[in-house]
Amino acid sequence: MAEPVLIDSNVILDVATESPAWADWSQARLAEIAMDSVLVINPIIYAEVSVGYARIEELERALPPALYRRQALPFAAGFLAGKCFLQYRRRGGERRAPPPDFYIGAHAAIAGYRLLTRDAGRYRGYFPKLDVIAPD
Protein backbone atom coordinates (compact mmCIF):
# COMPACT_ATOMS: atom_id res chain seq x y z
CA MET A 1 0.00 0.00 0.00
CA ALA A 2 1.28 3.47 -0.91
CA GLU A 3 1.95 6.21 1.60
CA PRO A 4 -1.06 7.91 3.18
CA VAL A 5 -2.55 10.91 1.40
CA LEU A 6 -3.91 13.92 3.27
CA ILE A 7 -7.20 14.95 1.65
CA ASP A 8 -7.87 18.69 1.49
CA SER A 9 -11.34 19.82 2.46
CA ASN A 10 -12.03 21.32 -0.97
CA VAL A 11 -11.88 17.85 -2.55
CA ILE A 12 -14.28 16.39 0.02
CA LEU A 13 -16.64 19.36 -0.33
CA ASP A 14 -16.59 19.08 -4.14
CA VAL A 15 -17.97 15.57 -3.84
CA ALA A 16 -20.38 16.31 -0.98
CA THR A 17 -21.88 19.35 -2.71
CA GLU A 18 -21.76 17.77 -6.17
CA SER A 19 -19.87 20.77 -7.49
CA PRO A 20 -20.61 21.11 -11.22
CA ALA A 21 -17.07 22.26 -11.88
CA TRP A 22 -15.10 19.86 -9.68
CA ALA A 23 -17.14 16.88 -8.41
CA ASP A 24 -16.12 14.53 -11.23
CA TRP A 25 -12.41 15.33 -10.91
CA SER A 26 -12.46 15.11 -7.11
CA GLN A 27 -14.47 11.88 -7.02
CA ALA A 28 -12.20 10.23 -9.58
CA ARG A 29 -9.03 11.20 -7.70
CA LEU A 30 -10.46 10.04 -4.35
CA ALA A 31 -11.47 6.68 -5.81
CA GLU A 32 -8.11 6.25 -7.52
CA ILE A 33 -6.10 7.11 -4.41
CA ALA A 34 -8.29 5.04 -2.07
CA MET A 35 -7.45 1.92 -4.07
CA ASP A 36 -3.86 1.81 -2.80
CA SER A 37 -3.44 4.53 -0.15
CA VAL A 38 -4.86 5.46 3.22
CA LEU A 39 -6.97 8.63 3.12
CA VAL A 40 -6.15 10.94 6.03
CA ILE A 41 -7.90 13.99 7.48
CA ASN A 42 -7.04 16.14 10.48
CA PRO A 43 -9.18 18.31 12.80
CA ILE A 44 -8.79 21.37 10.56
CA ILE A 45 -10.07 19.52 7.50
CA TYR A 46 -12.85 18.03 9.62
CA ALA A 47 -13.84 21.52 10.81
CA GLU A 48 -13.84 22.98 7.30
CA VAL A 49 -16.04 20.17 6.00
CA SER A 50 -18.36 20.36 9.03
CA VAL A 51 -19.87 23.69 7.96
CA GLY A 52 -21.98 21.83 5.41
CA TYR A 53 -23.67 19.63 8.02
CA ALA A 54 -26.18 20.43 10.75
CA ARG A 55 -25.34 17.43 12.94
CA ILE A 56 -22.13 15.60 13.74
CA GLU A 57 -23.80 12.29 12.85
CA GLU A 58 -24.31 13.55 9.29
CA LEU A 59 -20.67 14.58 9.11
CA GLU A 60 -19.55 11.20 10.42
CA ARG A 61 -21.58 9.49 7.67
CA ALA A 62 -19.95 11.77 5.08
CA LEU A 63 -16.48 11.07 6.49
CA PRO A 64 -16.65 7.45 7.63
CA PRO A 65 -13.67 6.57 9.84
CA ALA A 66 -13.24 3.32 7.91
CA LEU A 67 -12.40 5.41 4.83
CA TYR A 68 -10.88 8.57 6.32
CA ARG A 69 -8.25 7.98 8.99
CA ARG A 70 -8.29 10.76 11.56
CA GLN A 71 -4.98 12.16 12.75
CA ALA A 72 -4.13 14.95 15.13
CA LEU A 73 -2.07 17.84 13.87
CA PRO A 74 1.56 17.19 14.89
CA PHE A 75 3.17 19.93 16.97
CA ALA A 76 6.01 20.11 14.43
CA ALA A 77 3.40 20.94 11.79
CA GLY A 78 2.20 23.82 13.97
CA PHE A 79 5.77 25.11 14.07
CA LEU A 80 6.17 24.81 10.30
CA ALA A 81 2.81 26.52 9.71
CA GLY A 82 4.03 29.41 11.86
CA LYS A 83 7.23 29.72 9.82
CA CYS A 84 5.21 29.76 6.59
CA PHE A 85 2.99 32.41 8.11
CA LEU A 86 6.06 34.58 8.80
CA GLN A 87 7.04 34.25 5.13
CA TYR A 88 3.49 35.22 4.16
CA ARG A 89 3.60 38.32 6.38
CA ARG A 90 7.03 39.33 5.04
CA ARG A 91 5.59 39.09 1.52
CA GLY A 92 2.90 41.59 2.48
CA GLY A 93 0.14 39.26 3.67
CA GLU A 94 -2.36 40.96 5.93
CA ARG A 95 -3.97 38.09 7.84
CA ARG A 96 -3.32 38.11 11.58
CA ALA A 97 -3.23 34.33 12.02
CA PRO A 98 -2.04 31.46 9.84
CA PRO A 99 -4.69 30.33 7.35
CA PRO A 100 -5.91 26.71 7.53
CA ASP A 101 -3.99 25.80 4.36
CA PHE A 102 -0.71 26.41 6.21
CA TYR A 103 -1.63 23.84 8.86
CA ILE A 104 -2.86 21.35 6.25
CA GLY A 105 0.26 21.73 4.10
CA ALA A 106 2.54 21.57 7.12
CA HIS A 107 0.82 18.38 8.35
CA ALA A 108 1.38 16.69 4.99
CA ALA A 109 4.98 17.93 4.80
CA ILE A 110 5.93 16.89 8.34
CA ALA A 111 4.26 13.47 8.03
CA GLY A 112 5.74 12.82 4.57
CA TYR A 113 2.29 12.45 3.01
CA ARG A 114 1.11 13.41 -0.42
CA LEU A 115 -1.66 16.02 -0.46
CA LEU A 116 -4.77 15.79 -2.64
CA THR A 117 -6.18 19.24 -3.36
CA ARG A 118 -7.58 21.15 -6.29
CA ASP A 119 -6.05 24.43 -5.07
CA ALA A 120 -2.33 23.79 -5.26
CA GLY A 121 -0.98 27.34 -5.56
CA ARG A 122 -0.40 28.17 -1.89
CA TYR A 123 0.79 24.66 -1.09
CA ARG A 124 3.38 24.64 -3.85
CA GLY A 125 4.47 28.18 -2.98
CA TYR A 126 5.06 27.54 0.73
CA PHE A 127 5.84 23.81 0.70
CA PRO A 128 7.93 23.31 -2.47
CA LYS A 129 9.01 19.76 -1.53
CA LEU A 130 5.45 18.61 -0.83
CA ASP A 131 4.06 16.06 -3.29
CA VAL A 132 0.81 17.74 -4.34
CA ILE A 133 -1.81 15.90 -6.36
CA ALA A 134 -3.86 18.56 -8.13
CA PRO A 135 -5.36 19.39 -11.51
CA ASP A 136 -2.80 20.48 -14.08
Side-chain angles (χ1 to χ4, degrees):
M1 185 163 270
E3 289 295 317
V5 178
L6 192 64
I7 309 301
D8 197 359
S9 54
N10 57 35
V11 172
I12 297 167
L13 289 169
D14 288 343
V15 175
T17 63
E18 300 178 0
S19 165
W22 290 106
D24 289 344
W25 183 89
S26 293
Q27 180 60 48
R29 296 299 78 71
L30 277 171
E32 175 184 296
I33 290 168
M35 290 180 65
D36 67 354
S37 299
V38 174
L39 307 181
V40 177
I41 60 172
N42 63 31
I44 294 167
I45 295 163
Y46 191 89
E48 288 185 326
V49 174
S50 77
V51 300
Y53 298 88
R55 299 174 39 102
I56 195 168
E57 294 83 4
E58 296 170 13
L59 179 59
E60 285 294 308
R61 281 191 296 275
L63 298 173
L67 181 59
Y68 294 96
R69 179 186 295 167
R70 280 113 166 98
Q71 288 189 350
L73 186 72
F75 280 89
F79 182 83
L80 180 55
K83 295 304 173 196
C84 290
F85 181 64
L86 283 176
Q87 288 178 30
Y88 162 83
R89 290 297 301 246
R90 289 181 182 137
R91 294 176 183 171
E94 296 182 11
R95 289 186 180 212
R96 298 201 179 268
D101 288 353
F102 285 176
Y103 292 103
I104 293 167
H107 184 174
I110 291 295
Y113 297 162
R114 294 177 293 156
L115 175 66
L116 175 63
T117 185
R118 66 165 161 76
D119 185 20
R122 180 174 283 168
Y123 294 115
R124 288 186 174 137
Y126 286 95
F127 305 96
K129 294 180 182 178
L130 184 61
D131 186 358
V132 177
I133 305 163
D136 293 329

